[in-house]
């Protein structure tokens, strides 16, 4: 938490933003229990690759250009294969941050 608060200093402001609230939480790996029950590493890899796609594909397409969808598909297909080849549990540490613009 200190690392997230640090840029805002003691006044709670940085680059035109004011830190209003910050909170940390943890979330379990959403695919691990199923993997442990079934041993299906392909489903595990697909689950994680699809989650990463949902989070980052729009940004990748925006940066690369909408006509590069085939490249983005290949990136996430490779992620699926790599994750399936060596499944590991990954619990998330998340921070919710609320900021406002300073006048």
């Amino acid at each position: 938490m200190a690392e997230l608060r640090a840029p805002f200093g003691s006044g709670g402001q940085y680059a035109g933003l004011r830190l209003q609230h910050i909170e940390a939480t943890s979330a379990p790996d959403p695919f691990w229990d199923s993997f442990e029950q079934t041993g299906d590493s392909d489903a595990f890899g697909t689950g994680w690759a699809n989650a990463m796609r949902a989070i980052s594909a729009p940004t990748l397409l925006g940066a690369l250009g909408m006509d590069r969808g085939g490249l983005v598909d290949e990136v996430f297909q490779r992620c699926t294969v790599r994750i399936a080849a060596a499944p590991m549990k990954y619990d998330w540490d998340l921070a919710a941050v609320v900021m406002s613009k300073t006048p």
Side-chain angles (χ1 to χ4, degrees), residues 12-83:
Q13 295 185 37
Y14 176 76
L17 298 172
R18 176 180 294 283
L19 181 62
Q20 299 291 330
H21 177 77
I22 188 167
E23 181 178 324
T25 189
S26 295
D29 184 320
F31 309 107
W32 189 254
D33 288 345
S34 179
F35 171 70
E36 282 193 314
Q37 291 173 1
T38 66
D40 188 345
S41 61
D42 290 333
F44 183 78
T46 298
W48 268 115
N50 286 342
M52 290 187 294
R53 176 187 286 270
I55 293 166
S56 60
T59 302
L60 285 171
L61 286 169
L64 297 172
M66 296 303 281
D67 61 330
R68 302 299 301 261
L71 175 61
V72 172
D73 289 342
E74 184 175 334
V75 165
F76 290 108
Q77 180 55 39
R78 288 181 183 202
C79 286
T80 299
V81 170
R82 293 185 88 168
I83 294 167

